[in-house]
Amino acid sequence: MAKKKKLSIAIQGIATSFHEVAALTYFNEPIDTIECLSFHRLCESLKNGEADYAVMAIENSIAGSILPNYFLLQEYHFSIIGELYLPIHMHLLTLPGVKLSEITTIESHPMAIRQCAEYLHALKNVEIRESDDTALSAKRVKEMKLKTTAAIANEHAAKKYGLQILEKRIETHKKNFTRFLVLTKRSHDKKESNKASLSFEVANEVGSLADALMTFKNNSINLTKIQSIPIIGKPSEYSIHIDVEWKRRKQYDDAMHQVLLQVKNLNVLGEYKKGKIEYK
């Protein structure tokens, strides 16, 4: 019997990063991860067929939306097939034996830094440095033996690189989660979907956006996210990204038929099953 080939999943960051944890959690099977130090590289990996799927963070409950990733969704036209809400616990990692008073630099991914802003602002005489990835920061501390540098990362990174957790749970709010999207180039079966991500444009006229959104309300469609993105080269014009949920598919289909007549460039980025938010 032939051995099943592992799925290849593009992630932003390296092993033990939150993206890898999200990928392992979502697929719940052995996978091969393709490490990408930027979201653009992640998209290129999926586009070029190096990966079967990609897992991309899109928003955090403390730091907010990752706006550049909305531009990438528009540029690459991938299909969203799923989402995952991952609880995020941030820890301050150092070489064993290092004390907080010895730390002069703390580094991590910009989104991680934003999630720990309250803790970091209280520190005195410490430089905050941005890096490409939380796990990569932990790896740097270990491999370069940085005795005065701490990394913000998760417990998986601490274990992998033999670092001590100097301070636990330094995120500003303890009910912290990041929403990840699962992307593919291929179409998929939408039978079990109850959520969709859409983008569209509206005329620069009074009430044009409100009219489109009222169509969803009138069809009992729940609007869970709205995000405006500037249209490059068109000052004062925006692409509207929304997430909607429904209980009956017909309600969604009826709303979409009506919205088609109200907006321009309607794009269904994906129809998928709503993810669960479970705090830990």
Side-chain angles (χ1 to χ4, degrees), residues 67-100:
L67 293 181
N69 288 358
Y70 282 93
F71 287 100
L72 291 174
L73 289 175
Q74 287 185 324
E75 178 182 351
Y76 284 90
H77 304 290
F78 295 140
S79 178
I80 302 170
I81 63 159
E83 67 176 2
L84 174 74
Y85 290 89
L86 184 72
I88 302 294
H89 304 320
M90 296 292 187
H91 307 310
L92 193 67
L93 311 184
T94 65
L95 292 172
V98 172
K99 298 177 182 179
L100 185 60

Side-chain angles (χ1 to χ4, degrees), residues 69-216:
N69 288 358
Y70 282 93
F71 287 100
L72 291 174
L73 289 175
Q74 287 185 324
E75 178 182 351
Y76 284 90
H77 304 290
F78 295 140
S79 178
I80 302 170
I81 63 159
E83 67 176 2
L84 174 74
Y85 290 89
L86 184 72
I88 302 294
H89 304 320
M90 296 292 187
H91 307 310
L92 193 67
L93 311 184
T94 65
L95 292 172
V98 172
K99 298 177 182 179
L100 185 60
S101 60
E102 300 175 84
I103 299 300
T104 59
T105 303
I106 295 176
E107 75 164 58
S108 194
H109 189 276
M111 287 296 286
I113 291 171
R114 287 169 64 183
Q115 291 168 51
C116 303
E118 189 174 291
Y119 173 86
L120 296 175
H121 287 162
L123 298 177
K124 306 296 183 183
N125 302 316
V126 176
E127 177 189 358
I128 309 302
R129 183 182 300 158
E130 295 183 354
S131 72
D132 292 324
D133 179 43
T134 56
L136 184 62
S137 293
K139 184 180 181 181
R140 269 176 35 83
V141 170
K142 173 65 174 180
E143 294 187 347
M144 299 180 68
K145 297 181 174 59
L146 302 177
K147 294 183 179 180
T148 61
T149 298
I152 299 174
N154 60 32
E155 61 182 334
H156 303 287
K159 291 176 181 177
K160 181 176 178 67
Y161 298 112
L163 299 176
Q164 71 171 348
I165 299 179
L166 187 62
E167 298 275 351
K168 292 184 177 181
R169 303 291 301 272
I170 64 171
E171 62 270 16
T172 297
H173 196 284
K174 302 313 174 189
K175 288 185 177 180
N176 182 30
F177 64 85
T178 294
R179 179 182 174 219
F180 293 85
L181 301 179
V182 182
L183 310 174
T184 183
K185 291 198 299 183
R186 301 187 297 273
S187 60
H188 68 291
D189 190 351
K190 303 172 183 176
K191 283 192 301 184
E192 295 184 357
S193 60
N194 58 6
K195 186 172 183 177
S197 294
L198 316 169
S199 68
F200 56 84
E201 299 166 30
V202 293
N204 190 12
E205 299 172 356
V206 173
S208 58
L209 176 58
D211 289 344
L213 297 182
M214 280 299 295
T215 296
F216 289 107

Side-chain angles (χ1 to χ4, degrees), residues 191 193-194 215-216 218-221 245-258:
K191 283 192 301 184
S193 60
N194 58 6
T215 296
F216 289 107
N218 293 338
N219 285 276
S220 300
I221 303 299
E245 299 174 1
W246 61 88
K247 292 183 178 179
R248 293 196 302 119
R249 176 77 193 203
K250 187 178 185 305
Q251 295 171 326
Y252 169 70
D253 291 338
D254 289 347
M256 290 294 284
H257 283 124
Q258 295 171 47

